[in-house]
């Protein structure tokens, strides 16, 4: 058996999808003139009306580009320090065990790995939001399409959720170096830096494959071979909500871990490649221990939390066979750059004689 190919990133990470939080806008950045030309009007419409405000946006964007260029090196350094110096409060939560998983999840897993398992049978175990429409606070835009393909399933026991949140709070209160999950979430934990990738997250991803293979075959659901995982935290004095966006993933798993909170529902809009002239949204409540599976390209966000504190585990599930064809962030053939760990889930092209024949062995058809 040949060695696994190393994972890569796409060069667009250093130029595209840079979030300007004050104005709730994702921008592409090549230079100041390009940003003014491509995004000046949208920024003005969102309140960036003075030259000084625009210069502040430029400084913010340029600082984010520099942060991204240093990200891999800094992450490696943080992980080394954490591995050497951090003393976990609950070391058992770092290795996935059956006892962490909800009994209903184990039942779904057994069904999906049984002979004759099909999508109709799987859906009887899941809560589907594909045809439900409930959105408050926005103009009614009529019936939603019935193909959102958002599903809720039990994932973890409440006891495990409590232990994991307790561990994450212990880490947060330590003097260990901490990286933020992404440009939109300033509070949370990058789980690879805690050393959870191989003992916890990779087994979890692999156990999800029989489920995602049935739900999302055209997105490589049977061959999700890498991931990025992090925990985000929302509270009144930190991050309150999350603006509309889509994920750098083929499939996303979002699990509510607790704690006590009110409001802060997730909302889902159109698929990013099929936007409507007037966006249409639906709300979904969080249920502790349960996860939402959705396509990474589904436009979504989080409404403001009203009280308490909420932690969510986010796992971006990626298929190199799919994203090697088209980067989901720049919508072009990926320009591969070196990366650490799983990178952004891209791999170098194989020699023609090494290519699997046909590609649909990965359920891409």
């Amino acid at each position: 058996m040949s060695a696994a190919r190393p994972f890569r990133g796409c060069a667009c990470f250093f130029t595209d999808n840079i979030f300007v939080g004050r104005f709730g806008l994702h921008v592409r950045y090549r230079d100041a003139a390009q940003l003014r030309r491509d995004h000046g009007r949208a920024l003005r419409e969102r309140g960036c009306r003075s030259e000084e405000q625009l210069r502040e946006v430029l400084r913010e964007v340029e600082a984010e580009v520099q942060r991204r260029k240093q990200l891999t090196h800094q992450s490696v350094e943080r992980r080394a320090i954490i591995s050497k110096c951090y003393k976990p409060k609950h070391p058992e939560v770092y290795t996935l065990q059956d006892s962490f998983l909800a009994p209903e999840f184990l039942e779904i897993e057994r069904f999906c790995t049984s002979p004759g398992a099909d999508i109709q049978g799987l859906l009887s175990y899941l809560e589907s939001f594909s045809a439900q429409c409930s959105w408050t606070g926005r103009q009614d835009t009529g019936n939603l399409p019935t193909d959102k393909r958002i599903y809720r399933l039990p994932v973890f026991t409440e006891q495990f959720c409590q232990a994991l949140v307790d561990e994450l709070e212990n880490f947060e209160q330590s003097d260990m170096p901490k990286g933020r999950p992404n440009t939109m979430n300033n509070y949370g934990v990058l789980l690879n830096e805690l050393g959870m990738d191989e003992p916890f997250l990779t087994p979890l991803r692999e156990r999800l494959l029989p489920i995602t293979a049935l739900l999302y075959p055209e997105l490589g659901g049977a061959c999700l071979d890498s991931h990025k995982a992090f925990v985000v935290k929302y509270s009144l004095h930190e991050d309150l909500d999350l603006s509309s966006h889509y994920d750098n993933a083929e499939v996303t798993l979002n699990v509510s871990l607790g704690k006590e909170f009110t409001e802060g529902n997730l909302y889902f809009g159109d698929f990013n490649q099929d936007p409507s002239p007037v966006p249409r949204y639906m709300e979904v409540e969080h249920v502790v221990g349960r996860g939402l599976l959705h396509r990474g390209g589904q436009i979504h966000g989080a409404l403001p939390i009203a009280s308490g504190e909420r932690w969510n585990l986010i796992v971006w599930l990626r298929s190199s066979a799919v994203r090697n064809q088209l980067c989901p962030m720049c919508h072009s053939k990926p320009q591969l750059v070196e990366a650490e760990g799983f990178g952004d889930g891209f791999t170098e092209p194989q020699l023609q004689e090494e290519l699997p024949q046909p590609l649909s062995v990965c359920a891409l058809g």
Side-chain angles (χ1 to χ4, degrees):
M1 180 181 295
S2 60
R5 291 177 291 167
F7 287 94
R8 304 298 189 201
C10 178
C12 75
F13 178 68
F14 304 110
T15 57
D16 291 27
N17 296 289
I18 298 171
F19 186 62
V20 181
R22 283 174 296 162
F23 300 109
L25 186 68
H26 287 84
V27 301
R28 174 178 297 174
Y29 180 74
R30 300 294 190 276
D31 53 47
Q34 171 270 323
L35 187 138
R36 289 171 182 269
R37 181 178 64 252
D38 293 350
H39 302 292
R41 180 176 177 179
L43 284 166
R44 286 192 298 274
E45 290 173 348
R46 292 169 182 249
C48 179
R49 297 190 175 92
S50 71
E51 183 62 26
E52 178 55 34
Q53 285 179 310
L54 185 55
R55 284 196 294 267
E56 288 177 3
V57 168
L58 283 167
R59 286 193 291 267
E60 180 181 334
V61 168
E62 289 168 353
E64 171 60 18
V65 170
Q66 291 305 311
R67 186 192 74 86
R68 293 186 181 195
K69 290 179 178 178
Q70 301 167 11
L71 196 59
T72 296
H73 175 70
Q74 292 177 345
S75 181
V76 169
E77 286 188 338
R78 286 193 299 266
R79 190 162 67 250
I81 294 171
I82 293 167
S83 176
K84 180 179 179 180
C85 302
Y86 178 62
K87 298 294 188 283
K89 184 176 181 180
H90 297 286
E92 70 278 4
V93 303
Y94 287 72
T95 301
L96 185 65
Q97 302 175 33
D98 276 6
S99 60
F100 299 165
L101 297 168
E104 300 94 331
F105 179 90
L106 299 175
E107 186 177 355
I108 294 169
E109 184 181 32
R110 283 193 293 270
F111 169 78
C112 290
T113 54
S114 66
D118 58 15
I119 181 66
Q120 290 78 17
L122 172 57
L123 290 178
S124 69
Y125 291 91
L126 307 180
E127 186 176 359
S128 173
F129 296 91
S130 299
Q132 296 184 21
C133 173
S134 62
W135 177 245
T136 59
R138 295 194 180 220
Q139 181 180 359
D140 181 14
T141 56
N143 293 327
L144 286 166
T146 59
D147 61 349
K148 288 233 185 293
R149 298 165 65 195
I150 301 161
Y151 307 101
R152 179 151 59 203
L153 73 164
V155 180
F156 299 124
T157 65
E158 288 195 27
Q159 292 83 355
F160 169 74
C161 291
Q162 292 170 3
L164 179 58
V165 169
D166 196 37
E167 174 62 33
L168 295 169
E169 288 183 320
N170 185 67
F171 174 73
E172 188 183 52
Q173 293 161 10
S174 74
D175 59 359
M176 292 294 103
K178 303 169 183 71
R180 58 176 171 163
N182 51 64
T183 56
M184 300 183 74
N185 294 105
N186 296 301
Y187 299 91
V189 180
L190 291 161
L191 296 183
N192 70 312
E193 294 186 0
L194 272 182
M196 296 186 73
D197 256 351
E198 290 310 311
F200 187 96
L201 293 160
T202 292
L204 178 62
R205 167 169 50 83
E206 291 171 347
R207 296 182 75 158
L208 287 166
L209 286 177
I211 301 171
T212 56
L214 291 173
L215 294 177
Y216 307 105
E218 82 290 359
L219 296 175
C223 53
L224 299 168
D225 53 356
S226 72
H227 59 263
K228 177 178 179 178
F230 48 93
V231 172
V232 295
K233 182 178 74 166
Y234 299 91
S235 68
L236 291 180
H237 303 295
E238 296 177 344
D239 285 338
L240 278 174
D241 54 13
L242 187 62
S243 297
S244 295
H245 66 286
Y246 59 91
D247 298 335
N248 187 358
E250 275 62 69
V251 179
T252 294
L253 173 68
N254 183 333
V255 185
S256 175
L257 302 175
K259 303 166 58 175
E260 295 293 329
F261 59 89
T262 58
E263 302 297 337
N265 288 351
L266 293 173
Y267 63 87
F268 292 90
D270 297 319
F271 195 66
N272 69 334
Q273 296 175 6
D274 305 300
S276 301
V278 179
R280 296 169 292 182
Y281 295 90
M282 59 182 283
E283 280 190 48
V284 180
E285 293 183 358
H286 297 278
V287 179
V288 174
R290 294 177 180 260
L292 290 167
L293 279 170
H294 63 85
R295 295 173 294 176
Q298 196 84 45
I299 301 293
H300 61 285
L303 294 171
I305 194 169
S307 67
E309 186 175 291
R310 176 165 62 80
W311 294 73
N312 285 65
L313 168 65
I314 313 297
V315 187
W316 289 351
L317 301 161
R318 294 161 166 170
S319 169
S320 61
V322 173
R323 61 183 36 233
N324 285 351
Q325 309 304 313
L326 194 72
C327 171
M329 304 310 286
C330 64
H331 306 293
S332 302
K333 183 75 175 177
Q335 302 176 57
L336 298 182
V337 295
E338 288 191 5
E340 190 266 338
F342 287 124
D344 280 326
F346 304 97
T347 55
E348 295 280 1
Q350 294 173 302
L351 296 175
Q352 185 62 38
E353 58 268 22
E354 295 176 340
L355 285 172
Q357 300 293 331
L359 190 59
S360 59
V361 296
C362 197
L364 300 183

